[in-house]
Every structure is written in C-alpha cells, then in structure tokens.
C-alpha cells in the first residue's frame, strides 16, 4: 500500500471560499508535487516542494499556494474558489532515485 | 519547458491482442519516462518506467521502448486482458527534482 496519504478524500465548497488540502509523503521522499486532474484529462502540474521550498510551479494563479513542513508533508491552499477548480487534486512524493508515488487524491467540488 | 504528446487518445483492442501507446517529448534533456495506469476513481499507479541510459525495458506483458534521437517512447502491452482496461498516462522529466510532465492519456478498452 502506498505511503502517501491525502486528506480529505472528498470536499464540497462554495464559490469564493478557501480550501486546504493535506498530503503526507512516503518515508524517504523529500519532494512533494501537487497536480490538478480535471475529468478526462491528464494531471496538470501545480507546484513542487523540495526541502520546504517551492522549486517549480506550473501555470496556476497565485491563489494556489502551498507549504511543505519539516517532516516533508505538504498543504495545498486555494483561495477564492472558482467553479473550474472542481477536480481531483493529486499529491505525489518522490526522491531523485525513485518514481513518483501518488496519493489517492482529494476530489474537490465547487458549487 | 517540457511538453509531452500522447497518442492515441482512445484505443480498443480484442482480448489477447497487443496494444501500443506512443508519446513524444520536447526536452532532449529529459531522462526519466514513467507510465501510469489509472482506473476509474483511483490514483495513477506506476506500471513501468525507463531511464535514458536504456532503450527497452520489459516486465512480463508490459514493455517500454525509448528512442532518444527521435524523442519518443512507447508502451507495449501484449496478450491484453479485460483488466488492462484503464487510462494510461506517459510522463517525462529531466532531472530528479523537476516535475513530471504528463501526456493527456489514452483510454484503453480491451474487449472480451
């Protein structure tokens, strides 16, 4: 079973609200990446954290922000939610030697 | 930045036949190419990966080939089974701490 866990599994929010999603990384992995997967699409890279610093960002607005903690767990925060933010949010942990290990995701619905 | 194109977007094969999915990438510095299988409502699962220092890798019915000169890599599934039906994603990255860039996915249907 994967060592990456995400919470919550499902979430319903109203447009304009803020949301925080959480991810714990697999033991031995110091990098956490966040992806947004809309229905029927491939995962789109949001940003990546390595040793508590953001070291890469995709084409997402500043209202998508994140944190990585000393234990390498991570949070994704989204402010001013829009309907188009409805998606599966995937967290993946990795290190330079290994591939990515994905969590089960958080399905966010914005109404 | 890296860009990954994946074809076809949908693929239907008869049970027992082979399936081939192809991807091209843009950044010649990319050196790691994984393939993920995603079943409906579930997380992507790594099924096989290849690094740029090898041209082919096999794991039972699954194989991946890499052509660095042409910047493309392919997934081959032989003796397909109904449980192979899923969406398959290719991805690429060019160093250990750069993000994976995914293709748009291929929906594979294996018809019994």
């Amino acid at each position: 079973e994967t060592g990456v866990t995400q919470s919550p599994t499902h979430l319903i929010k109203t447009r304009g609200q803020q949301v925080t999603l959480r991810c714990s990384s697999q033991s031995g992995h110091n990098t956490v990446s966040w992806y947004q997967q809309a229905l029927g699409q491939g995962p789109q890279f949001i940003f990546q954290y390595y040793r508590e610093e953001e070291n890469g960002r995709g084409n997402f607005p500043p209202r998508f922000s994140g944190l990585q903690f000393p234990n390498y767990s991570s949070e994704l925060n989204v402010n001013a939610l829009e309907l188009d933010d409805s998606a599966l949010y995937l967290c993946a942990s990795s290190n330079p030697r290994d591939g990515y290990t994905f969590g089960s995701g958080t399905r966010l619905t914005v109404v | 930045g890296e860009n990954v194109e994946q074809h076809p977007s949908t693929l239907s094969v008869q049970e027992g036949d082979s399936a081939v999915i192809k991807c091209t990438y843009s950044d010649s510095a990319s050196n790691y190419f994984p393939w993920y299988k995603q079943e409906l409502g579930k997380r992507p699962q790594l099924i096989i990966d290849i690094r740029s220092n090898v041209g082919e890798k096999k794991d039972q019915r699954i194989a991946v080939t890499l052509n660095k000169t042409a910047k493309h890599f392919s997934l081959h599934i032989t003796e397909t089974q109904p449980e192979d039906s899923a969406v398959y994603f290719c991805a690429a990255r060019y160093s250990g701490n750069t993000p994976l860039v995914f293709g748009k996915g291929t929906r594979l249907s294996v018809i019994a």
Side-chain angles (χ1 to χ4, degrees), chain B residues 49-107:
Chain B
D49 57 12
I50 192 167
R51 297 184 188 273
S52 59
N53 57 346
V54 298
E56 182 176 3
K57 183 177 178 180
K58 289 186 71 172
D59 182 4
Q60 300 181 354
R61 296 186 297 109
I62 294 173
V64 56
T65 59
L66 171 64
N67 182 326
K68 287 193 297 182
T69 303
K71 290 190 284 187
H72 65 71
F73 56 114
S74 300
L75 177 71
H76 305 253
I77 306 174
T78 58
E79 301 172 21
T80 53
Q81 301 166 3
E83 50 266 38
D84 294 330
S85 296
V87 179
Y88 291 81
F89 293 98
C90 63
R93 77 176 183 198
Y94 65 83
S95 79
N97 285 323
T98 57
L100 275 178
V101 177
F102 284 83
K104 291 187 183 298
T106 296
R107 181 172 300 280

Coordinates of all heavy atoms in Angstrom, one line a residue, chain B residues 49-107:
Chain B
D49 N 8.8 2.1 -15.9 CA 9.5 3.3 -16.2 C 10.8 2.9 -16.9 O 11.3 1.8 -16.8 CB 9.7 4.2 -15.0 CG 10.5 3.4 -13.8 OD1 11.0 2.3 -14.1 OD2 10.5 3.9 -12.7
I50 N 11.4 3.9 -17.5 CA 12.6 3.7 -18.2 C 13.5 5.0 -18.1 O 12.9 6.1 -18.1 CB 12.4 3.3 -19.7 CG1 13.7 2.8 -20.4 CG2 11.8 4.5 -20.5 CD1 13.5 2.2 -21.7
R51 N 14.7 4.8 -18.0 CA 15.7 5.9 -17.9 C 16.4 6.0 -19.2 O 16.5 5.1 -20.0 CB 16.6 5.8 -16.7 CG 15.8 5.8 -15.4 CD 16.7 5.7 -14.2 NE 15.8 5.6 -13.0 CZ 15.3 6.6 -12.3 NH1 15.5 7.8 -12.7 NH2 14.5 6.3 -11.2
S52 N 17.0 7.2 -19.4 CA 17.5 7.5 -20.8 C 18.8 6.7 -21.1 O 19.2 6.7 -22.3 CB 17.8 9.0 -20.9 OG 18.8 9.4 -20.0
N53 N 19.3 5.9 -20.2 CA 20.5 5.1 -20.5 C 20.2 3.7 -21.0 O 21.1 2.9 -21.2 CB 21.5 5.1 -19.3 CG 20.8 4.5 -18.1 OD1 19.5 4.4 -18.0 ND2 21.5 4.1 -17.1
V54 N 18.9 3.4 -21.2 CA 18.5 2.1 -21.7 C 17.5 2.4 -22.8 O 16.8 3.4 -22.9 CB 17.9 1.2 -20.7 CG1 18.9 0.9 -19.6 CG2 16.7 1.8 -20.1
G55 N 17.4 1.4 -23.7 CA 16.5 1.6 -24.9 C 15.2 0.8 -24.7 O 14.2 1.1 -25.4
E56 N 15.2 -0.2 -23.9 CA 14.0 -1.0 -23.7 C 14.0 -1.7 -22.3 O 15.0 -2.0 -21.8 CB 13.9 -2.1 -24.8 CG 12.7 -3.0 -24.7 CD 12.6 -4.0 -25.9 OE1 13.5 -4.1 -26.7 OE2 11.6 -4.7 -25.9
K57 N 12.8 -1.8 -21.8 CA 12.6 -2.5 -20.5 C 11.3 -3.3 -20.6 O 10.3 -2.8 -21.1 CB 12.6 -1.4 -19.4 CG 12.5 -2.0 -18.0 CD 12.5 -0.8 -17.0 CE 12.4 -1.3 -15.6 NZ 12.4 -0.1 -14.6
K58 N 11.4 -4.5 -20.0 CA 10.2 -5.4 -20.0 C 9.9 -5.9 -18.6 O 10.7 -6.1 -17.8 CB 10.5 -6.6 -20.9 CG 10.5 -6.3 -22.4 CD 10.6 -7.6 -23.2 CE 9.3 -8.4 -23.2 NZ 9.4 -9.6 -24.1
D59 N 8.6 -6.0 -18.4 CA 8.1 -6.6 -17.2 C 6.9 -7.4 -17.5 O 5.8 -6.9 -17.6 CB 7.7 -5.5 -16.2 CG 7.3 -6.0 -14.8 OD1 7.3 -7.3 -14.6 OD2 6.9 -5.2 -13.9
Q60 N 7.1 -8.7 -17.7 CA 6.0 -9.6 -18.0 C 5.3 -9.2 -19.3 O 6.0 -9.2 -20.4 CB 5.0 -9.8 -16.9 CG 5.7 -10.3 -15.6 CD 4.7 -10.5 -14.4 OE1 3.5 -10.1 -14.5 NE2 5.2 -11.1 -13.4
R61 N 4.1 -8.8 -19.3 CA 3.4 -8.5 -20.6 C 3.6 -7.0 -21.0 O 3.0 -6.6 -22.0 CB 1.9 -8.7 -20.4 CG 1.5 -10.2 -20.1 CD 0.0 -10.4 -20.1 NE -0.7 -9.7 -19.0 CZ -1.4 -8.6 -19.2 NH1 -1.6 -8.1 -20.4 NH2 -2.0 -8.0 -18.2
I62 N 4.3 -6.3 -20.2 CA 4.4 -4.8 -20.4 C 5.9 -4.5 -20.8 O 6.8 -5.1 -20.2 CB 4.0 -4.0 -19.2 CG1 2.5 -4.2 -18.9 CG2 4.4 -2.6 -19.4 CD1 2.1 -3.6 -17.6
A63 N 6.1 -3.7 -21.8 CA 7.4 -3.3 -22.2 C 7.3 -1.8 -22.6 O 6.3 -1.3 -23.0 CB 7.9 -4.1 -23.4
V64 N 8.4 -1.1 -22.4 CA 8.6 0.3 -22.8 C 9.8 0.4 -23.7 O 10.9 -0.2 -23.3 CB 8.6 1.3 -21.6 CG1 9.7 0.9 -20.6 CG2 8.7 2.7 -22.1
T65 N 9.7 1.1 -24.8 CA 10.9 1.4 -25.6 C 11.1 2.9 -25.7 O 10.2 3.7 -25.6 CB 10.7 0.8 -27.0 OG1 9.5 1.5 -27.6 CG2 10.5 -0.7 -27.0
L66 N 12.4 3.3 -25.8 CA 12.8 4.7 -25.8 C 13.7 4.9 -27.0 O 14.7 4.2 -27.2 CB 13.5 5.0 -24.5 CG 14.1 6.4 -24.4 CD1 13.1 7.5 -24.5 CD2 15.0 6.6 -23.2
N67 N 13.4 5.9 -27.8 CA 14.2 6.4 -28.9 C 14.6 7.8 -28.6 O 13.9 8.7 -28.8 CB 13.5 6.3 -30.2 CG 14.3 6.7 -31.4 OD1 15.2 7.5 -31.3 ND2 14.1 6.0 -32.5
K68 N 15.8 8.0 -28.0 CA 16.3 9.3 -27.6 C 16.5 10.2 -28.8 O 16.2 11.5 -28.7 CB 17.5 9.2 -26.8 CG 17.3 8.7 -25.4 CD 18.6 8.9 -24.5 CE 19.8 8.2 -25.1 NZ 21.0 8.4 -24.2
T69 N 16.9 9.7 -29.9 CA 17.2 10.5 -31.1 C 15.9 11.2 -31.6 O 15.9 12.3 -31.9 CB 17.8 9.7 -32.2 OG1 19.0 9.1 -31.7 CG2 18.2 10.5 -33.4
A70 N 14.9 10.3 -31.6 CA 13.6 10.8 -32.1 C 12.8 11.4 -31.0 O 11.7 12.0 -31.3 CB 12.8 9.7 -32.8
K71 N 13.2 11.3 -29.8 CA 12.5 11.8 -28.6 C 11.1 11.2 -28.5 O 10.1 12.0 -28.4 CB 12.5 13.4 -28.6 CG 13.8 13.9 -28.3 CD 13.8 15.4 -28.1 CE 13.6 16.2 -29.3 NZ 13.7 17.7 -29.2
H72 N 11.0 9.9 -28.6 CA 9.7 9.3 -28.4 C 9.9 8.0 -27.6 O 11.0 7.3 -27.7 CB 8.9 9.1 -29.6 CG 9.4 8.2 -30.7 ND1 9.4 6.9 -30.6 CD2 9.9 8.5 -31.9 CE1 9.9 6.3 -31.7 NE2 10.2 7.3 -32.5
F73 N 8.9 7.6 -26.9 CA 8.8 6.4 -26.2 C 7.5 5.8 -26.2 O 6.5 6.5 -26.4 CB 9.3 6.6 -24.7 CG 8.5 7.6 -23.9 CD1 7.8 7.2 -22.8 CD2 8.6 9.0 -24.2 CE1 7.1 8.1 -22.1 CE2 7.9 9.9 -23.4 CZ 7.2 9.5 -22.4
S74 N 7.4 4.5 -26.1 CA 6.2 3.7 -26.4 C 5.9 2.7 -25.3 O 6.9 2.1 -24.8 CB 6.2 3.0 -27.7 OG 6.4 4.0 -28.8
L75 N 4.7 2.4 -25.0 CA 4.2 1.4 -24.1 C 3.6 0.3 -24.9 O 2.8 0.5 -25.8 CB 3.2 1.9 -23.1 CG 2.6 0.9 -22.2 CD1 3.7 0.5 -21.1 CD2 1.4 1.5 -21.5
H76 N 4.1 -1.0 -24.7 CA 3.6 -2.1 -25.4 C 3.0 -3.1 -24.4 O 3.7 -3.5 -23.4 CB 4.7 -2.8 -26.1 CG 5.5 -2.0 -27.1 ND1 5.3 -2.0 -28.5 CD2 6.4 -1.0 -26.8 CE1 6.1 -1.2 -29.0 NE2 6.8 -0.5 -28.1
I77 N 1.7 -3.4 -24.6 CA 1.1 -4.4 -23.7 C 0.7 -5.6 -24.6 O 0.0 -5.5 -25.6 CB -0.2 -3.9 -23.1 CG1 0.1 -2.6 -22.3 CG2 -0.8 -4.9 -22.1 CD1 -1.1 -1.9 -21.7
T78 N 1.2 -6.8 -24.3 CA 0.9 -8.0 -25.1 C -0.2 -8.8 -24.4 O -0.4 -8.7 -23.1 CB 2.1 -8.8 -25.3 OG1 2.7 -9.2 -24.0 CG2 3.2 -8.1 -26.1
E79 N -0.8 -9.7 -25.1 CA -1.8 -10.6 -24.6 C -2.8 -9.8 -23.7 O -3.0 -10.2 -22.5 CB -1.2 -11.7 -23.8 CG -0.2 -12.6 -24.7 CD 0.6 -13.6 -23.9 OE1 0.2 -13.9 -22.8 OE2 1.7 -14.0 -24.4
T80 N -3.4 -8.8 -24.2 CA -4.2 -7.9 -23.4 C -5.4 -8.7 -22.7 O -5.9 -9.7 -23.3 CB -4.8 -6.8 -24.2 OG1 -5.4 -7.3 -25.3 CG2 -3.7 -5.8 -24.5
Q81 N -5.8 -8.2 -21.5 CA -6.8 -8.8 -20.8 C -7.8 -7.8 -20.4 O -7.5 -6.6 -20.4 CB -6.3 -9.5 -19.5 CG -5.2 -10.6 -19.8 CD -4.4 -11.0 -18.6 OE1 -4.6 -10.5 -17.5 NE2 -3.5 -11.9 -18.8
P82 N -9.1 -8.1 -20.1 CA -10.1 -7.1 -19.8 C -9.6 -6.2 -18.6 O -9.9 -5.0 -18.6 CB -11.3 -7.9 -19.4 CG -11.2 -9.2 -20.2 CD -9.7 -9.5 -20.2
E83 N -8.9 -6.7 -17.7 CA -8.4 -5.9 -16.5 C -7.4 -4.9 -16.9 O -7.0 -4.1 -16.1 CB -7.9 -6.8 -15.4 CG -6.9 -7.8 -15.8 CD -7.6 -9.2 -16.1 OE1 -8.7 -9.2 -16.7 OE2 -7.0 -10.2 -15.7
D84 N -6.9 -5.0 -18.2 CA -6.0 -3.9 -18.6 C -6.7 -2.7 -19.0 O -6.1 -1.6 -19.3 CB -5.2 -4.4 -19.8 CG -4.2 -5.6 -19.5 OD1 -3.7 -5.6 -18.3 OD2 -4.0 -6.4 -20.4
S85 N -8.0 -2.7 -19.1 CA -8.8 -1.6 -19.5 C -8.7 -0.5 -18.4 O -8.9 -0.7 -17.2 CB -10.3 -1.9 -19.6 OG -10.5 -2.9 -20.7
A86 N -8.2 0.7 -18.9 CA -8.0 1.8 -17.9 C -7.5 3.0 -18.8 O -7.4 2.9 -20.0 CB -6.9 1.4 -16.9
V87 N -7.1 4.1 -18.1 CA -6.5 5.2 -18.8 C -5.0 5.1 -18.5 O -4.6 4.9 -17.3 CB -7.0 6.6 -18.4 CG1 -6.3 7.7 -19.1 CG2 -8.5 6.6 -18.6
Y88 N -4.2 5.2 -19.5 CA -2.7 5.1 -19.4 C -2.1 6.5 -19.7 O -2.5 7.2 -20.7 CB -2.1 4.1 -20.3 CG -2.5 2.7 -19.9 CD1 -3.8 2.2 -20.2 CD2 -1.7 1.9 -19.2 CE1 -4.2 0.9 -19.9 CE2 -2.0 0.6 -18.8 CZ -3.3 0.1 -19.1 OH -3.6 -1.2 -18.7
F89 N -1.2 6.9 -18.8 CA -0.5 8.2 -19.0 C 1.0 8.0 -19.1 O 1.6 7.2 -18.3 CB -0.7 9.1 -17.8 CG -2.2 9.6 -17.6 CD1 -3.0 8.9 -16.7 CD2 -2.6 10.7 -18.3 CE1 -4.3 9.3 -16.5 CE2 -3.9 11.1 -18.2 CZ -4.8 10.4 -17.3
C90 N 1.6 8.7 -20.1 CA 3.0 8.7 -20.1 C 3.5 10.0 -19.4 O 2.7 10.9 -19.3 CB 3.6 8.6 -21.5 SG 3.0 10.0 -22.6
A91 N 4.7 10.1 -19.1 CA 5.3 11.3 -18.4 C 6.8 11.4 -18.7 O 7.4 10.4 -19.0 CB 5.0 11.3 -16.9
A92 N 7.3 12.6 -18.5 CA 8.7 12.8 -18.7 C 9.2 13.8 -17.7 O 8.5 14.7 -17.3 CB 9.0 13.2 -20.1
R93 N 10.5 13.7 -17.3 CA 11.1 14.7 -16.5 C 12.6 14.7 -16.8 O 13.2 13.7 -17.3 CB 10.9 14.6 -15.0 CG 11.7 13.5 -14.3 CD 11.5 13.6 -12.8 NE 12.3 12.6 -12.1 CZ 12.1 12.1 -10.9 NH1 11.0 12.6 -10.2 NH2 12.9 11.3 -10.4
Y94 N 13.3 15.9 -16.6 CA 14.7 15.9 -17.0 C 15.7 15.9 -15.8 O 16.9 15.9 -16.1 CB 15.0 17.1 -17.9 CG 14.8 18.5 -17.4 CD1 15.8 19.1 -16.7 CD2 13.6 19.1 -17.6 CE1 15.6 20.4 -16.2 CE2 13.4 20.4 -17.1 CZ 14.4 21.0 -16.4 OH 14.2 22.3 -15.9
S95 N 15.3 16.0 -14.6 CA 16.2 15.8 -13.5 C 15.4 15.3 -12.3 O 14.2 15.4 -12.3 CB 17.0 17.0 -13.2 OG 16.3 17.9 -12.5
G96 N 16.2 14.9 -11.3 CA 15.5 14.3 -10.2 C 14.6 15.2 -9.4 O 13.6 14.7 -8.8
N97 N 14.8 16.5 -9.5 CA 13.9 17.4 -8.7 C 13.1 18.3 -9.6 O 12.5 19.3 -9.1 CB 14.7 18.2 -7.7 CG 15.2 17.4 -6.6 OD1 14.5 16.5 -6.1 ND2 16.4 17.6 -6.1
T98 N 12.9 17.9 -10.8 CA 12.0 18.7 -11.7 C 10.7 17.9 -11.8 O 10.7 16.7 -11.6 CB 12.6 18.9 -13.1 OG1 12.9 17.7 -13.7 CG2 13.8 19.8 -13.0
P99 N 9.6 18.6 -12.1 CA 8.3 17.9 -12.0 C 8.1 17.0 -13.2 O 8.7 17.2 -14.3 CB 7.3 19.1 -12.1 CG 8.0 20.2 -12.7 CD 9.5 20.0 -12.3
L100 N 7.3 16.0 -13.0 CA 6.8 15.1 -14.1 C 5.9 15.9 -15.0 O 5.0 16.6 -14.4 CB 6.1 13.9 -13.6 CG 7.0 12.7 -13.2 CD1 6.1 11.6 -12.6 CD2 7.8 12.2 -14.3
V101 N 6.0 15.8 -16.3 CA 5.0 16.4 -17.2 C 4.3 15.2 -17.8 O 4.9 14.3 -18.4 CB 5.7 17.3 -18.2 CG1 4.7 17.8 -19.2 CG2 6.4 18.5 -17.6
F102 N 3.0 15.3 -17.8 CA 2.2 14.2 -18.2 C 1.6 14.4 -19.6 O 1.3 15.5 -20.0 CB 1.0 13.9 -17.3 CG 1.4 13.3 -16.0 CD1 1.9 14.0 -14.9 CD2 1.2 11.9 -15.8 CE1 2.2 13.4 -13.8 CE2 1.6 11.3 -14.7 CZ 2.1 12.0 -13.6
G103 N 1.4 13.3 -20.4 CA 0.6 13.4 -21.6 C -0.9 13.4 -21.2 O -1.2 13.3 -20.0
K104 N -1.8 13.5 -22.2 CA -3.2 13.7 -21.9 C -3.9 12.4 -21.6 O -5.1 12.4 -21.3 CB -3.8 14.4 -23.1 CG -3.4 15.9 -23.2 CD -4.3 16.6 -24.2 CE -3.8 18.1 -24.4 NZ -4.0 18.9 -23.2
G105 N -3.2 11.3 -21.9 CA -3.8 10.0 -21.5 C -4.4 9.2 -22.7 O -4.8 9.9 -23.7
T106 N -4.4 7.9 -22.6 CA -5.0 7.0 -23.6 C -6.0 6.1 -22.9 O -5.6 5.4 -21.9 CB -4.0 6.2 -24.3 OG1 -3.1 7.0 -25.0 CG2 -4.6 5.2 -25.2
R107 N -7.2 6.2 -23.3 CA -8.2 5.3 -22.7 C -8.2 4.0 -23.5 O -8.6 3.9 -24.7 CB -9.6 5.9 -22.8 CG -10.7 5.0 -22.2 CD -12.0 5.7 -22.0 NE -12.0 6.9 -21.2 CZ -12.0 6.9 -19.9 NH1 -12.1 5.8 -19.2 NH2 -11.9 8.0 -19.2

